[in-house]
Amino acid sequence: MNWQNHSLIRLIIPFTLGMIGANLFMPYMNLVVLFILCCAFLALSFFLLNTSKTFKDWKFGMTASTFAFLVGMTLYTGKHQRIANSIPQDTTFCQGILTEAPTKKPNSWALNLQQENGTHILLYISPLQREHLPSIGDTILASPAHFNPTHTCPNDSFKTYHNYLFNNGVCATAYAPQGRWLIKPCHTHQDFLTSLRNMQGTLHTIYDDHGINGEAGTIIEAMTIGQKTNLSKETRTAYAHAGVSHVLALSGFHVGIIVLMLQFFSLKHMLSLRWRWISNLVIAVALWCYALLTGLSPSLVRATLMCTILLLSQSTFRNDLSLNSCALAFFIMLCINPFYLHDIGFQLSFIAVGSIGILGKKLITLASFHNNLAHYAWLITIIAISLISTLFTAPLVAYHFGHVSTLALLSNLLLFPFVYLLMFASILWWAFLWCPPISDLLTTLLNWTATTMNTISETIASIPFSTMEWHPNLATTLLCYAILLTLTYFITHKKIAL
């Protein structure tokens, strides 16, 4: 890989290291000092660029890298301080608007309340009948018996969970027993975002009324509208052990499939480079319409934003999956929300996309040169993408979840056609919902596809040693990626004969 052609990556590395450094040394971070340093190094970068008249001068490179490092530190520190300083001064009272449907816990219900400043409080209330629970858009007033800021957790056993909440914009958790909280119903017209968050329930009702229900229905809803609350624990476990749990999360994998479908129907491959940006723009608009219809779930918004940036940047870099496109998407998303850096889905998405961008085309090209394999280019592409993404995400999956699926490649290859079929059939199902004969036929097809996917996942998960327990620490995980990057360098820079 020629680093001169990937200047954005050379800035992304110090930018990311700056965020990691800010997270490690947060007690010593001063936002004002960081801002002044950013301005100073920005001015110095312009001065050196004006003096040397070239981007390749080592002094300019070091200064620009330091500036990127400081920008990462500044953005992360600003986000951290905004959430940490948003805790109500009077912790005996809190209020907020319910932004998500109440979540059932073993001994309580969890309510995600959004405050006026945009941060959230996770309020736990005493068990109630479901019909007495508040609805999305209602205002909750509470006098909590317990109030715990998430950034200062005295109990080490809850520290990991509180860090997770803090990184998702939750500034505190609270508990209010019965009689110490009340609902202020939303009688006025609901705002746009609240209406969108209710959309999943409406879509679920439509599915249920037209015969898409049961275990197969939960799979279809999870993959098409992001409704995962009805998935059984057994189903989640089977897909996780088979190494295909990403199939159940409406995120980058599904958005990528939708993009491929839209590119096929828009005849993008037949357009000239001059007009291809129009096709990319139309596809990006269609993706955001889909995200709106499914309620703007966080994982889908992240995936849609990533694909939008990739699509629009392709119009500039003229490459199907250039590393500059990935780097630009990575940078913009972290500028929007620096805490995406802690999101497992964000990490897995960019590791998978980046590894495919670096290594995918090389493996496909090598295989295509072999006369006996040239006629199976489509199969080689699927195998190469599945193999690369599985290998490069395995260490991170093991680090976060403590296990690795030994048959993940087989599972992905077997399920890949059914995922395409289900996504394509679901689009047709919604398009022909007004025509019962066609929609009924598609309903049967969707239920059969989801049932077959369940059978494949459960069968693979039941094979002995289909999953392996592995709990690598951070050093071991980084060592695994160092080995993978070394192998990648060898493959991409050496001539390998097949």
Side-chain angles (χ1 to χ4, degrees), residues 260-425:
L260 291 177
M261 291 180 180
L262 293 175
Q263 287 179 339
F264 175 79
F265 287 117
S266 66
L267 303 177
K268 177 185 174 181
H269 57 286
M270 299 177 60
L271 299 175
S272 63
L273 290 175
R274 182 179 180 181
W275 297 102
R276 195 169 293 181
W277 68 272
I278 298 179
S279 173
N280 286 341
L281 181 61
V282 172
I283 292 172
V285 172
L287 288 179
W288 281 107
C289 290
Y290 176 67
L292 290 172
L293 288 175
T294 54
L296 288 178
S297 63
S299 61
L300 184 59
V301 169
R302 186 191 68 243
T304 304
L305 178 61
M306 175 181 174
C307 285
T308 300
I309 296 170
L310 290 176
L311 285 169
L312 297 182
S313 61
Q314 284 173 16
S315 303
T316 302
F317 296 113
R318 298 189 177 188
N319 197 325
D320 288 337
L321 189 61
S322 74
L323 292 181
N324 279 323
S325 299
C326 296
L328 181 62
F330 185 88
F331 174 75
I332 292 177
M333 292 180 71
L334 286 183
C335 286
I336 293 173
N337 183 4
F339 282 5
Y340 273 149
L341 193 64
H342 300 287
D343 189 277
I344 299 173
F346 177 85
Q347 297 169 10
L348 291 173
S349 296
F350 275 98
I351 286 177
V353 172
S355 61
I356 293 170
I358 296 173
L359 201 54
K361 288 188 177 180
K362 182 67 174 180
L363 292 182
I364 295 170
T365 302
L366 288 172
S368 299
F369 280 130
H370 199 291
N371 292 332
N372 296 330
L373 298 177
H375 298 294
Y376 302 97
W378 61 273
L379 181 59
I380 293 172
T381 301
I382 294 175
I383 294 175
I385 290 175
S386 299
L387 177 62
I388 294 169
S389 59
T390 299
L391 283 177
F392 274 80
T393 56
L396 190 62
V397 170
Y399 175 75
H400 285 296
F401 302 107
H403 68 82
V404 172
S405 175
T406 57
L407 300 176
L409 179 59
L410 174 63
S411 305
N412 280 281
L413 291 177
L414 291 177
L415 285 183
F416 201 73
F418 293 98
V419 174
Y420 262 99
L421 178 60
L422 190 146
M423 297 295 292
F424 183 69

Side-chain angles (χ1 to χ4, degrees), residues 88 90-96 113 115 121 123 140-144 147 174:
D90 183 10
T91 58
T92 62
F93 175 79
C94 65
Q95 80 173 63
L113 307 182
Q115 302 184 98
I121 293 177
L123 178 67
I140 309 298
L141 310 175
S143 177
F147 192 93

Side-chain angles (χ1 to χ4, degrees), residues 190-232:
Q190 291 184 339
D191 60 32
F192 180 66
L193 290 177
T194 301
S195 300
L196 288 177
R197 293 184 181 111
N198 282 317
M199 187 66 71
Q200 274 191 351
T202 303
L203 298 178
H204 164 74
T205 303
I206 295 174
Y207 269 137
D208 194 56
D209 292 342
H210 290 80
I212 296 181
N213 45 40
E215 192 63 31
T218 61
I219 299 296
I220 296 169
E221 290 184 11
M223 292 178 58
T224 57
I225 64 174
Q227 176 65 269
K228 298 192 298 181
T229 56
N230 297 323
L231 285 171
S232 66

Side-chain angles (χ1 to χ4, degrees), residues 97 225 357 474:
I97 298 174
I225 64 174
L474 182 59

